[in-house]
Amino acid sequence: MLEAFALATILCGFFGILLKKNLLMKIISMDVMSTGVVAYYVVVAARNGMFTPIASTSPQGAYADPVPQGVILTAIVIGFSIQALMLVGVMKLSRDNPTLDSRDIEQDTAP
């Protein structure tokens, strides 16, 4: 069930990128899609009975593999940096163009 919600989130973001014309909405849609991918990865990698790999003195059972957690954290940080870079690009475009509609910008900048 959770996998279906994660996949629905990915599809919402994907169709938002395809169908929205405003550049800010495209960036938000890309964030939604990225969040869906991270959620899907977390749902697939989650296992019952595994403990987080935190150093402690109390003996516990089997530990979860820390590599997927590191990969997800890296993906989140890279996603934020890409969004910040895209927002800076949109701010630069908004200074030169009165609209953020991607089709209008393409028509204005076409040779």
Side-chain angles (χ1 to χ4, degrees):
M1 184 70 177
L2 290 175
E3 292 94 352
F5 284 125
L7 290 175
T9 305
I10 293 170
L11 285 176
C12 285
F14 179 73
F15 285 117
I17 290 173
L18 289 179
L19 300 177
K20 294 293 180 183
K21 297 175 185 173
N22 190 324
L23 292 177
L24 282 178
M25 295 304 290
K26 285 182 182 272
I27 291 172
I28 291 172
S29 297
M30 187 173 164
D31 181 46
V32 168
M33 191 169 78
S34 172
T35 301
V37 169
V38 168
Y40 183 74
Y41 194 79
V42 168
V43 167
V44 169
R47 294 184 182 147
N48 290 332
M50 303 291 259
F51 295 99
T52 54
I54 298 173
S56 69
T57 58
S58 64
Q60 295 179 346
Y63 290 105
D65 188 12
V67 173
Q69 298 169 10
V71 169
I72 289 300
L73 285 176
T74 305
I76 291 170
V77 169
I78 290 173
F80 277 131
S81 63
I82 288 173
Q83 287 175 8
L85 188 63
M86 287 191 305
L87 287 174
V88 167
V90 168
M91 286 175 52
K92 176 109 172 94
L93 277 173
S94 69
R95 288 183 187 163
D96 300 334
N97 298 303
T99 181
L100 290 179
D101 190 347
S102 59
R103 292 183 185 172
D104 290 342
I105 293 173
E106 287 176 0
Q107 288 176 353
D108 291 343
T109 58

